[in-house]
Amino acid sequence: MAILVTGGIGYIGSHTVVELMESGYDVIILDNLCNSEIIIKDRIEEITGKTVKFYEADLLDEERLEDIFRENDISAVIDFAALKAVGESVEEPLKYYCNNIGGLLALLKIMKKYNVKKLIFSSSATVYGVAEKMPVTEEDKLSVTNPYGRTKLMAEEILNDICKSDEKWSVVVLRYFNPVGAHESGLIGEDCEGIPSNIMPYIMKVAAGELEEVTVFGDDYNTMDGTGVRDYIHVVDLAKGHIKALEVVEKETGINTYNLGTGRGYSVLQLIKQFSEVVGKKVSYKILGRRAGDVAICYADPSKANKELNWKASLNIEDMCRDTWKWKSMSMGKEF
Ligand code: NAD
Ligand code: WQD
């Protein structure tokens, strides 16, 4: 029996595929490569020393999806395939609804047809919107501030309805906080062209000399140093959370939702300082005004995942910075 990983060539997907393969799972990857490169498949194979079955396919292509379910003995699906750029989702909401919701619906239809009713879904802390108190728990009120976030909230609601309609479904929804870092080998990590919208890739590019200085969005928040505070989580810890979630979908039915975060927040300036220390060079920055839609502070209460999944983030902010830099150094062809 194999695990189908949609979006498995992407940032979080590729790290999860490595953990799955290293835990002895048989993995099949489906990805249309719209935000990833096929070389990552080779890298996954280099890290694990095993080959992985890959389909270059779009989740919206139902015929192709059906072929994959017919050709393979799939026991569960981990669904990472989605578009994730908040700003782009505001400019092109239809593209986001079609891909993220259309893709999920196509997947659920075929899963139902082939009686594969175990699913792990990538959600996001973005579903907490502007939370009233910190840390956020899974029971807190949900709201969203952009179309990307709305696709995640809608997806969660769809999954709730599916599980209510048929008690054989087993779904785990994982709400990720701010994934950063890379595999310790430096062979896989987060890539992006041009100016990154997320902070860690921005810091990484400044340290590498590709951008001049980090633009810090606001230093007048009610936080330790006035800059925004987030719950950064190492992508390998996040990937390991999926292995634990698989154990839950194997033995339980219904829908279970978990925050995957460390439970600790760091400010933008703390992150820049930590990165500078790890790489041993100054990372320049300038303070700009606040970015529209940003909240001051967001961090998780991960106690439900700690207890029920028996999972806890174990890598710290230094590990996150070190592994990000190793990945960047190696992709520039330099030794770390
Ligand atoms: P990513 O863009 O690196 O990976 C997504 C992968 O899915 C890519 O390889 C892309 O080519 C593929 N894909 C997208 N649409 C597809 C489609 N229709 N058919 C087939 N493949 C498709 O993103 P990521 O950071 O690895 O995110 C993975 C998941 O986690 C997404 O659902 C994202 O919304 C969610 N998430 C990400 C973050 C984050 O900060 N990175 C935070 C919370 C939640
Ligand atoms: C972190 C902090 C910024 C860029 C986003 C999505 C969320 C989720 C994770 C998918 C904030 C500050 C940033 C920069 C800065 N993704 N910042 N200069 O906004 O917490 O979350 O990614 O689900 O949905 O919204 O992450 O990395 O963009 O920002 O000062 O150039 O860094 O203001 O305080 P965010 P981020």
Side-chain angles (χ1 to χ4, degrees), residues 51-313:
T51 53
V52 62
K53 195 165 182 180
F54 170 68
Y55 290 89
E56 184 174 343
D58 196 305
L59 208 47
L60 289 155
D61 183 346
E62 290 185 32
E63 276 178 29
R64 198 75 207 294
L65 205 51
E66 181 144 11
D67 288 343
I68 297 170
F69 274 78
R70 204 181 301 113
E71 284 166 22
N72 297 283
D73 204 358
I74 296 168
S75 62
V77 179
I78 308 184
D79 181 24
F80 293 102
L83 299 172
K84 60 165 181 176
V86 172
E88 186 189 46
S89 81
V90 176
E91 308 283 319
E92 293 190 71
L94 205 48
K95 182 173 166 187
Y96 275 68
Y97 291 121
C98 285
N99 193 72
N100 294 5
I101 299 299
L104 175 66
L105 294 178
L107 176 67
L108 290 170
K109 269 195 278 179
I110 306 292
M111 285 177 71
K112 183 173 176 205
K113 186 164 174 186
Y114 284 81
N115 203 28
V116 178
K117 295 185 173 173
K118 298 180 196 308
L119 173 71
I120 297 174
F121 179 76
S122 301
S123 189
S124 165
T126 192
V127 299
Y128 294 114
V130 185
E132 284 156 13
K133 59 160 185 58
M134 286 297 147
V136 281
T137 74
E138 291 81 355
E139 310 310 317
D140 286 352
K141 214 173 90 205
L142 304 180
S143 70
V144 287
T145 53
N146 57 70
Y148 164 71
R150 199 158 290 113
T151 67
K152 292 295 170 191
L153 191 52
M154 286 164 97
E156 289 199 14
E157 285 168 353
I158 291 166
L159 294 171
N160 260 298
D161 288 340
I162 301 277
C163 290
K164 263 188 228 153
S165 75
D166 176 355
E167 61 184 22
K168 292 200 185 71
W169 279 91
S170 174
V171 175
V172 170
V173 170
L174 298 176
R175 294 182 182 148
Y176 313 149
F177 280 68
N178 288 59
V180 296
H183 192 264
E184 61 176 1
S185 63
L187 289 169
I188 55 174
E190 185 173 24
D191 220 350
C192 79
E193 277 172 21
I195 298 199
S197 50
N198 294 117
I199 189 68
M200 188 62 121
Y202 209 123
I203 295 174
M204 173 183 95
K205 284 195 171 198
V206 172
E210 291 171 18
L211 293 170
E212 210 179 310
E213 50 193 356
V214 181
T215 52
V216 177
F217 296 139
D219 68 347
D220 57 352
Y221 288 108
N222 186 17
T223 62
M224 57 282 255
D225 55 24
T227 64
V229 169
R230 296 292 184 274
D231 188 340
Y232 298 99
I233 172 164
H234 197 296
V235 65
V236 172
D237 274 331
L238 199 61
K240 289 184 170 151
H242 294 73
I243 312 295
K244 297 292 190 177
L246 259 183
E247 290 165 18
V248 169
V249 284
E250 291 299 338
K251 63 174 192 280
E252 284 178 27
T253 56
I255 186 160
N256 285 290
T257 302
Y258 300 99
N259 284 342
L260 293 189
T262 64
R264 190 178 164 175
Y266 284 89
S267 75
V268 177
L269 291 184
Q270 285 177 324
L271 188 61
I272 294 174
K273 184 166 177 281
Q274 184 68 63
F275 202 94
S276 302
E277 280 171 20
V278 167
V279 309
K281 57 167 117 168
K282 188 170 174 283
V283 175
S284 305
Y285 64 87
K286 67 175 172 206
I287 308 287
L288 298 185
R290 293 182 179 191
R291 181 171 67 177
D294 269 351
V295 295
I297 306 181
C298 183
Y299 62 97
D301 176 344
S303 50
K304 187 176 174 206
N306 296 163
K307 196 164 148 242
E308 292 180 19
L309 295 182
N310 190 23
W311 168 92
K312 199 172 191 304

